[in-house]
Amino acid sequence: MIKILLVDDNLTFVTAVKKFLAMLPDAQVIAEAHDGRQALAQAAQWRPDLVLLDIMMPGLNGLEVAKLMQAWPQAPHIVFLSMHDNASYRAVAHELGALGFVGKADFVAELLPIIASLVATGGAHPTGDSA
């Protein structure tokens, strides 16, 4: 089972993603956050395997959150979910070690293979430790 933290300030989108993920037998949303500071607190508390992270949020943005999380001894995998899908954001996501960058308009088709890959590897963290 892949434990997921969902981070987005758009509550309508959060609801849609949760409904989609609820249909996947090997994925479970264990917590959600609606801004960057909440995301850090929830991730520290719940230790998810995967953080689905919006870029544009109040307070700390998703890129700042990802940079802080990547410094953790057992950093979660990160996939950016954003409506701001452009080459520069994708490049920064790659530099931050994100598993992927998914445009919100295409999240269903693009997120499935990423989650399937995590399930196949047992949700192993980038440090090599499994959850």
Side-chain angles (χ1 to χ4, degrees):
M1 178 69 70
I2 301 301
K3 299 180 298 181
I4 300 171
L5 168 61
L6 181 55
V7 183
D8 200 301
D9 60 328
N10 180 330
L11 299 182
T12 302
F13 186 70
V14 167
T15 300
V17 174
K18 282 172 45 177
K19 284 182 181 177
F20 164 70
L21 293 172
M23 294 186 295
L24 303 179
D26 296 317
Q28 177 185 16
V29 176
I30 58 170
E32 64 182 70
H34 306 292
D35 63 47
R37 294 197 193 289
Q38 242 185 5
L40 291 170
Q42 294 285 19
Q45 178 182 351
W46 293 100
R47 298 183 54 166
D49 301 306
L50 175 63
V51 177
L52 299 179
L53 186 58
D54 188 17
I55 290 180
M56 295 300 190
M57 295 183 295
L60 293 174
N61 69 41
L63 301 174
E64 294 165 324
V65 169
K67 187 173 184 177
L68 290 168
M69 284 182 181
Q70 290 306 326
W72 294 358
Q74 286 191 322
H77 294 288
I78 293 175
V79 171
F80 287 103
L81 284 175
S82 182
M83 62 184 235
H84 303 283
D85 188 355
N86 61 50
S88 62
Y89 280 139
R90 285 182 178 269
V92 172
H94 181 73
E95 288 170 21
L96 289 170
L99 275 183
F101 186 106
V102 174
K104 284 186 176 181
D106 303 317
F107 83 90
V108 171
E110 293 184 26
L111 201 52
L112 274 175
I114 293 169
I115 291 175
S117 173
L118 272 179
V119 168
T121 62
H125 288 270
T127 60
D129 300 325
S130 61

